[in-house]
Structure formats: structure tokens, C-alpha cells
Amino acid sequence: ATRTKSAEVERADSGIGQMSARKWRNRASETLTSLQAWEAHRPCTDCGERDLPVETDMQNCNQRRADLCEKCCKRRTERKESVLEFVNTEASYGEDLRIIKEEFYLPMQAAGLLSQEQLLGIFSNIQELIDLNENFLEILQEEIDQAFDQGDDDLMTVCIGEVFLEFVNMLPAFQTYCLQQSSSVNMLNALEKEKELLRIFLNVSQNDNTALRRMNLRSFLMAPLQRVTKYPLLLSRIIKATTEYHPDHGSLREAKSRIESHLEHINMKTKQEGNTWTLRSFRQDSKKKREVINIEMRETALKTVGWLREETRFVMEGSLQLAQPPDGQWVKKGSKTLKFQNMQVLLLVNMKRVSESSLESAEPGPVKDAVLVLIRDKNNGKFHLLREPLRLSNCIVSTDPDCDDTFELIEIRREAFVFRDSDQARTHHWFRQIRRYSKELGSWKKRRNALPNIMISTAHTRP
């Protein structure tokens, strides 16, 4: 009887009463209605606005574009066209470089029309530009193919700015070619008047060689100059069609700024050498002027240390105040007793290449060497070194609690330097970076807590 009574009172539901169940059903119905309303008036996935195309227009779009407003749909189309234009024009430029080499340089070399020195004078570093273009174009094409393979028909995952910054070492190669362009054309004009066989070869090539599109050698030699001045325009189009929330937006702006600064630097070098021609001019603001100065200082530093550009990384650069204390007692007297002078300082690190690939070599590898280059402020329009670079493997770097606004660098068996920045936090950042590489490279690093200005007393008593 007890079991029967217990069975009669067992609940067959989940423990929720009728009132609660009715409330949850109403809540679920409201939620479903809300989701349906949101779906009918959902925001754009790119900008968050709700002015989506009408239902008839959405039927003409695929499912992915159905989540975009009309403005963003148009912007994606413009961005895709701009990205493809960048890659396609890079391929066309590479074809012109190939024509220069295969239709002019190699035949002229094989026929002995010009000496090797004359060929170098006319064609400059064309082979370096060819290699850079092939590597750059290969990575760009891989980005495009990978996007299409992943179903990204709008190429939103393609980051032109990031790839451009990985190949930023091609800008100095353009600079070398551009600065030699005037002398190259003058040499070609003089040799064409002097050598009849050369003149006949150039005329026949232009008229009979269909690959040249009836263009002469001078037109093809202008291709690198035209390409380097077109980069800012192409990047501007991509930036205009790229939302600020896109991961490549910052890299695109930085890439555009870098190329414009290099163009201004090329123009400045051209004027210094007395040439009348200039590349396309861009508006200079204070940031671009500083970047031009930095480019010139980096060139001076690279020429001084003699390292390969692709193996060199500029860790820090900027203005520091420098003093050379006459003795080791300056800490007791304080840094106010020192006479400081303004100096441009660059911290360069020589990295071992990870592989031959230009993209992979950008990854940091083991440090081979690190130096501190000290450059005086400009005098007569040129930078001058204060002394030979300080190799951090031969230096000890330290600070003193009584002079926390400075740090000291001692070159073993030679000189001592005291540095400071106008900003104390930046002074500490300089100190940490310099000490890091000094410890990594210095043979003295095995000694525990090696510090300068330590008086070691040899006098001791024996028991």
C-alpha cells in the first residue's frame, strides 16, 4: 500500500510548475520573435550599420555578401580591384625588367657591342631589381591564390601592406638605380653616336622585335622610375577602400609613408649631385622630414660598419646627450658637473639569416654583432661620425642609483661615455636595450654581475 501511494505522488514533469512553464514558453517565443526581427534587420558585418540592400538585391548576392550593406559591398569590390591592380601592375613591371635583360642586355653582351663596364653603366643594378621583383611577386601571388582557395573571393585576407613592409629593402635598390639614371642615359646617347653597330641593333630591335611593342631601350630603362613613383598611388587606393578595423590598415599607411620618404630622399640626393630631374614630389610634413633624415643616417651607419642590408636591424635610433668624464669620480660629484653634447645615436644589430627566402630572413635569428654608431648633428649638409662604432661585445653598461637620469658605457681598455635622454623613461629604455646586447655578446658576460668602476683591492692579510 505504501509503494502504491508513493507511486501516485511521483512527478512526471521536470519539476517546473504550470505557471513557470507558461512563463518560459512565453520567454522562448519572445526570444524567437526578437531573433527573427534581428535577422530581418541585421547589421552589416563590416561597418555595423543597418542599411542593408532590399530583399530583391540580396537575392543577386551570395550568402556572404548578404550580410553587407550597400556601401561596404561596393567598398569590398573597390578593394579587390585595387589589390588586383597592384599585383597585375607589379607583374607587368617585372615583364619589362625581363625584356631589358633578355632583349637588350644579354644580346649586347653576347655580340660584344659594349664592354662589361659600359653595360654596367647603362643597366646599373637591373639584376638586383629583377630578383626583388620576382620574390615580391611570388609572395603576392601566393597571398591571392591562398585567399581564393579559402573561399575569400573579396581578397579581404590579403595584406598588401604587411608584404610590402617585409620587402622594404627593395627601396634602397630603387634609390641606387634612380640616382644613376641620368648618367646611364647620357652614356647610352654617347655610345649610340659613337658605335654604328649599337645604333643598328637598337633600331632593328625597336622595329622588328614584337616583344618590345615598338618601344626603344630608353623607354624600358624608365620602368623602375615609373614603378617606384606609382607605389604611393596604388597604396592610397587600397587604403581608401580598406576599413580602419582591417588588420592591414596600419601596415598600408606605414608602407605608403616609407615609400614617400624614400622618394623625397632620392630627390634630395639628386639635387645634391647637381641633376635637374626629380621624381614625383609629395607634400612634406614634419614626420616625413624626420624619416628622410633617418634614412640618411642609416645609410651612413651601414656604410661605416660594412654589413649587408638584409642582415641588419636598426633596434633604436634618435638623439642622445653624451659626455666623456675625465675620471671615474664623476658619480660622486653628480652628472651636473659633466659637459654634455647632442648626438645622433643608432643601435644596429647584425642578425644571422634564417634562410635564403627574403620573407623568412626577416625573422630574428641569432645575433652576430651589435654596435652603437655616434653621429654628429649635420654640418654643411652632411653627417659626420664622432668616432668609429662602439662594439657592444667590448663594452660594459651600467647605471648608478645616485645618477638615475644617466647610464655609463665603458669600452674595455679604452674610453668611457655617459649618456642621457631628455626623457628619463627613454633613457632607461636605451640602457636596457644596449645592456641586453652587451651581455649577449660580451666575453665578460660569464662573470657574475660584472660592473664598471669597481675597485678590487689586492691587499689582504694571511691568517
Side-chain angles (χ1 to χ4, degrees):
T2 305
R3 289 195 208 95
T4 303
K5 190 175 292 186
S6 300
E8 290 176 352
V9 298
E10 286 182 358
R11 301 182 66 101
D13 57 11
S14 58
I16 302 178
Q18 289 184 346
M19 293 297 296
S20 299
R22 188 180 301 112
K23 185 183 296 184
W24 281 105
R25 283 196 297 270
N26 293 337
R27 183 74 57 84
S29 177
E30 292 174 1
T31 303
L32 179 60
T33 303
S34 177
L35 288 174
Q36 290 174 346
W38 183 88
E39 179 64 22
H41 196 53
R42 62 193 178 283
C44 172
T45 56
D46 276 9
C47 65
E49 297 181 1
R50 296 179 179 271
D51 56 338
L52 290 176
V54 295
E55 190 69 24
T56 55
D57 294 335
M58 290 170 57
Q59 292 174 357
N60 298 327
C61 298
N62 55 30
Q63 184 61 37
R64 178 172 37 77
R65 284 181 171 256
D67 295 333
L68 298 175
C69 66
E70 187 174 357
K71 181 179 178 181
C72 289
C73 190
K74 181 179 179 181
R75 178 188 293 171
R76 283 199 178 192
T77 301
E78 292 175 352
R79 186 181 188 277
K80 177 180 179 180
E81 292 174 353
S82 301
V83 169
L84 291 177
E85 181 187 13
F86 189 99
V87 178
N88 292 335
T89 53
E90 186 70 22
S92 300
Y93 160 66
E95 181 64 20
D96 288 343
L97 294 181
R98 187 195 64 79
I99 288 175
I100 292 175
K101 178 181 178 181
E102 297 183 1
E103 306 297 335
F104 289 106
Y105 180 87
L106 293 179
M108 291 164 66
Q109 183 185 46
L113 296 178
L114 297 177
S115 66
Q116 192 61 37
E117 183 179 355
Q118 291 170 335
L119 289 171
L120 181 61
I122 293 175
F123 295 97
S124 188
N125 62 329
I126 196 70
Q127 185 60 52
E128 182 183 10
L129 294 176
I130 291 174
D131 295 339
L132 288 169
N133 168 261
E134 289 178 351
N135 295 333
F136 187 39
L137 188 59
E138 181 182 0
I139 299 300
L140 289 174
Q141 196 60 55
E142 287 179 0
E143 289 278 318
I144 299 293
D145 295 341
Q146 184 177 1
F148 282 132
D149 292 342
Q150 294 175 350
D152 178 19
D153 294 336
D154 289 331
L155 305 181
M156 294 298 291
T157 57
V158 176
C159 295
I160 295 292
E162 291 182 6
V163 178
F164 192 95
L165 291 177
E166 292 288 352
F167 283 86
V168 76
N169 62 323
M170 66 182 175
L171 298 181
F174 275 110
Q175 175 178 313
T176 300
Y177 186 90
C178 293
L179 292 178
Q180 295 182 7
Q181 178 63 19
S182 181
S183 59
S184 298
V185 172
N186 292 336
M187 178 180 290
L188 177 61
N189 292 336
L191 290 173
E192 193 174 2
K193 292 179 181 179
E194 178 184 342
K195 296 179 177 291
E196 184 179 0
L197 288 179
L198 175 63
R199 185 168 61 253
I200 294 173
F201 168 77
L202 294 177
N203 289 334
V204 171
S205 298
Q206 180 179 355
N207 295 324
D208 298 342
N209 192 340
T210 56
L212 303 186
R213 311 187 297 275
R214 302 190 71 83
M215 294 169 56
N216 57 29
L217 174 57
R218 293 174 188 79
S219 300
F220 283 101
L221 291 178
M222 291 295 293
L225 280 72
Q226 295 169 347
R227 185 59 185 171
V228 74
T229 54
K230 197 172 183 180
Y231 280 134
L233 304 176
L234 294 171
L235 291 172
S236 295
R237 293 177 189 173
I238 301 177
I239 292 172
K240 185 178 179 181
T242 302
T243 176
E244 59 180 334
Y245 304 109
H246 193 279
D248 196 39
H249 190 269
S251 298
L252 285 168
R253 288 193 172 276
E254 183 181 354
K256 180 174 178 287
S257 177
R258 294 286 291 272
I259 183 62
E260 289 179 351
S261 298
H262 269 274
L263 292 177
E264 295 295 348
H265 181 62
I266 293 172
N267 285 338
M268 182 188 67
K269 285 282 191 180
T270 301
K271 293 178 182 178
Q272 290 178 354
E273 295 180 5
N275 294 325
T276 56
W277 66 273
T278 57
L279 295 175
R280 178 184 173 87
S281 179
F282 294 88
R283 181 179 59 85
Q284 286 193 18
D285 53 22
S286 58
K287 182 179 179 181
K288 287 189 176 63
K289 289 180 180 178
R290 289 196 301 271
E291 182 64 23
V292 169
I293 293 174
N294 290 342
I295 293 171
E296 194 170 354
M297 287 196 301
R298 292 173 201 150
E299 286 188 346
T300 303
L302 274 177
K303 189 179 296 183
T304 302
V305 297
W307 296 347
L308 294 176
R309 191 182 303 274
E310 58 269 19
E311 295 182 359
T312 304
R313 187 158 63 91
F314 292 88
V315 180
M316 289 191 71
E317 55 190 28
S319 177
L320 282 179
Q321 294 180 346
L322 175 145
Q324 292 184 267
D327 52 44
Q329 303 301 316
W330 68 274
V331 175
K332 294 182 179 180
K333 301 175 184 178
S335 59
K336 294 182 179 179
T337 61
L338 297 176
K339 184 178 180 181
F340 286 90
Q341 59 178 321
N342 291 326
M343 194 71 52
Q344 298 294 332
V345 181
L346 292 91
L347 175 57
L348 283 70
V349 174
N350 193 3
M351 314 291 291
K352 292 181 180 178
R353 298 182 68 178
V354 176
S355 70
E356 293 300 321
S357 171
S358 299
L359 194 61
E360 293 179 358
S361 63
E363 299 176 359
V367 178
K368 291 195 295 185
D369 203 356
V371 298
L372 212 60
V373 179
L374 310 178
I375 302 178
R376 298 180 186 273
D377 283 337
K378 262 193 171 183
N379 185 17
N380 297 327
K382 293 184 179 181
F383 287 110
H384 298 279
L385 295 177
L386 174 68
R387 62 187 305 285
E388 67 272 13
L390 292 166
R391 298 201 171 274
L392 297 187
S393 58
N394 299 329
C395 296
I396 300 175
V397 190
S398 66
T399 57
D400 191 279
D402 297 331
C403 300
D404 59 352
D405 62 334
T406 61
F407 64 90
E408 185 178 35
L409 184 147
I410 294 182
E411 191 178 16
I412 300 174
R413 299 188 185 90
R414 296 192 68 179
E415 299 175 275
F417 300 88
V418 177
F419 294 94
R420 73 180 182 188
D421 194 280
S422 55
D423 179 47
Q424 188 170 340
R426 188 162 173 80
T427 301
H428 293 163
H429 184 53
W430 271 100
F431 165 68
R432 289 191 296 269
Q433 290 291 341
I434 295 174
R435 183 179 62 173
R436 169 192 169 188
Y437 294 106
S438 175
K439 282 187 173 182
E440 285 185 12
L441 297 169
S443 57
W444 59 276
K445 66 182 178 181
K446 297 179 182 179
R447 302 201 306 269
R448 185 177 62 181
N449 299 327
L451 294 173
N453 298 333
I454 295 180
M455 300 290 293
I456 301 177
S457 176
T458 56
H460 58 275
T461 57
R462 295 177 181 272

